[in-house]
Amino acid sequence: MTKNITIKDIAKYAATSISTVSRVLNNDPNVANSTRERIKAVIKEMNYTPSMLARGMISKKTNMIAVVVSDITNPYFNQFIAFLEQQFLEHGYTLSLFDTQSANKKDSKKALKIEIDIFNQIQKNNYDAVLILGGLIDKLEVNEDYLDTLKSVAERTPVVVVGRKKMDMLKNVIFIQRDQTISTNLITKHLVKENYKKIVFIGGTKTDWITKDRVNTFVKVTSDKNVVLNNNFYAKNGYEGVSYLVDNSIDFDAVLAINDQVAQGVLRGILDMLGTDARKGVASCEYFTDNEYNTPRITSVDHNIEQLSKNTTSVLMNLLNQSDSKNDMVHNVTPKLILGESL
């Protein structure tokens, strides 16, 4: 069996220390030219390719970023992470994904344990930074044990949260807030302009800030005259929402779904329960790229996730380069109305 060459072997054959080899691997200028050339010659002769962990043995830098996401099956998260991966690869970083699946867990204690366990696992490994996308951090009331664990992580490693508003008790954590009011205002006013009078809002959960912001904007535009059903963020929840409306004989002429997934479920529910002749409008607060292949295409709002990924990469790279390390920001791009055939 061929022995794997390690950084220790390189140091031995180059007659130097492991720390000196590590400095050469990390392009540290504080190494004598003669020593550097000797180490490089041994590396070439032994055909040694250093892993990221080997590079970080001494420098503590691995060029790896831990990404904690609440549900990778959610189109928003998988689109966002795909863009992020492209951005960070250009800077020489790779992403290590931790999918908590907390968005699908009704048992809050189980969700809490999973997220805390992941944070503890991250602390035991040598990540250069931590990026948090969704999960318990997005709750209106965040558990104290969760906050204490996150504070502990942030004391050792740069942490960026994408989504929610700044939390003052997490002073060492950088927040990139997604503004929800502009996009929801745009799509709700479009429904009103199209002369829909009895609009129902379906989707989201009452315990999440994103739902609160979107519902509050919807209610403000519609003058608090319409029905709100908060049940979750998935297609089946849209279907269940229509079932509730039908079972309770609630009259409506349009549905505003919290996202395209819920809107898909709404469309199917209307077809199954009210038939092809039902004239009901359906729109969404958030566009996902798969919408292009829906029948009908859903009238929705593009939040420019690609730009969000660029903003996130910029903030995190500033942190890693120790510049502008305390700059929270609001992702506040001009949303784009996507006109489909669902109205």
Side-chain angles (χ1 to χ4, degrees):
M1 181 181 292
T2 303
K3 179 180 181 294
N4 289 330
I5 303 300
T6 67
I7 191 173
K8 185 176 180 180
D9 296 321
I10 300 299
K12 177 181 177 181
Y13 285 99
T16 188
S17 66
I18 293 175
S19 60
T20 301
V21 174
S22 179
R23 286 199 294 272
V24 170
L25 292 174
N26 286 287
N27 297 315
D28 190 323
N30 298 314
V31 179
N33 287 336
S34 58
T35 303
R36 184 185 303 277
E37 293 306 316
R38 185 170 75 251
I39 292 172
K40 285 185 175 181
V42 172
I43 288 173
K44 183 177 181 180
E45 180 182 346
M46 302 185 77
N47 196 27
Y48 173 65
T49 302
S51 67
M52 287 185 174
L53 289 175
R55 289 180 182 272
M57 283 180 65
I58 304 300
S59 69
K60 302 301 181 184
K61 184 176 180 180
T62 61
N63 284 61
M64 296 174 68
I65 297 170
V67 179
V68 183
V69 60
S70 62
D71 180 11
I72 192 58
T73 67
N74 184 310
Y76 159 66
F77 289 123
N78 61 49
Q79 286 176 213
F80 186 29
I81 290 171
F83 283 129
L84 282 175
E85 195 159 32
Q86 294 172 15
Q87 298 290 327
F88 281 114
L89 281 173
E90 292 178 5
H91 292 279
Y93 285 85
T94 58
L95 305 183
S96 182
L97 185 65
F98 294 85
D99 186 4
T100 70
Q101 284 291 306
S102 59
N104 294 319
K105 290 183 172 55
K106 295 181 179 179
D107 186 339
S108 59
K109 290 183 179 179
K110 185 177 292 185
L112 175 64
K113 182 180 185 305
I114 290 172
E115 294 207 24
I116 287 179
D117 285 348
I118 284 175
F119 285 146
N120 289 332
Q121 183 180 347
I122 287 171
Q123 289 190 88
K124 292 177 183 177
N125 292 281
N126 202 23
Y127 292 100
D128 292 344
V130 180
L131 189 59
I132 301 175
L133 312 177
L136 298 182
I137 193 66
D138 276 350
K139 299 300 179 184
L140 294 173
E141 295 183 9
V142 184
N143 180 277
E144 289 188 10
D145 290 338
Y146 175 96
L147 291 174
D148 288 341
T149 307
L150 185 53
K151 286 178 186 177
S152 177
V153 175
E155 286 173 359
R156 301 174 52 189
T157 309
V159 175
V160 173
V161 172
V162 179
R164 71 159 299 137
K165 299 173 183 176
K166 173 72 176 177
M167 299 183 71
D168 292 334
M169 69 280 291
L170 294 174
K171 295 181 179 178
N172 292 332
V173 176
I174 303 301
F175 287 80
I176 301 176
Q177 179 190 341
R178 292 180 64 206
D179 184 279
Q180 303 297 329
T181 58
I182 300 174
S183 56
T184 307
N185 185 69
L186 177 66
I187 190 65
T188 308
K189 285 186 174 179
H190 181 71
L191 283 167
V192 172
K193 181 182 176 182
E194 293 295 307
N195 207 33
Y196 290 100
K197 305 292 186 183
K198 299 176 181 179
I199 310 169
V200 177
F201 187 102
I202 295 181
T205 55
K206 292 180 180 179
T207 56
D208 286 5
W209 71 269
I210 186 173
T211 304
K212 179 183 177 182
D213 281 2
R214 290 183 181 179
V215 167
N216 285 349
T217 304
F218 166 76
V219 169
K220 184 177 180 180
V221 174
T222 57
S223 303
D224 202 15
K225 295 178 181 177
N226 298 296
V227 178
V228 174
L229 301 177
N230 297 138
N231 48 7
N232 217 319
F233 295 89
Y234 302 94
K236 69 175 183 178
N237 306 121
Y239 193 93
E240 291 166 353
V242 174
S243 178
Y244 178 88
L245 296 174
V246 172
D247 291 346
N248 290 275
S249 301
I250 297 174
D251 188 23
F252 68 100
D253 59 6
V255 171
L256 177 58
I258 199 161
N259 62 33
D260 279 7
Q261 270 200 139
V262 172
Q264 289 174 20
V266 168
L267 286 167
R268 187 70 212 188
I270 291 172
L271 179 63
D272 286 354
M273 296 172 228
L274 298 175
T276 56
D277 293 332
R279 300 181 64 83
K280 309 291 184 182
V282 178
S284 162
C285 294
E286 184 162 10
Y287 170 80
F288 298 145
T289 53
D290 285 350
N291 182 10
E292 184 64 24
Y293 307 101
N294 287 333
T295 304
R297 293 182 181 90
I298 300 161
T299 294
S300 188
V301 183
D302 187 350
H303 290 232
N304 200 341
I305 301 304
E306 184 173 9
Q307 184 59 50
L308 176 61
S309 76
K310 292 178 180 178
N311 290 345
T312 302
T313 303
S314 176
V315 168
L316 200 44
M317 290 308 302
N318 282 338
L319 271 174
L320 292 169
N321 294 328
Q322 298 182 337
S323 61
D324 297 329
S325 59
K326 294 298 180 183
N327 284 0
D328 300 295
M329 70 174 296
V330 177
H331 173 68
N332 191 10
V333 300
T334 302
K336 179 182 178 182
L337 186 64
I338 305 295
L339 296 176
E341 305 97 14
S342 60
L343 293 180

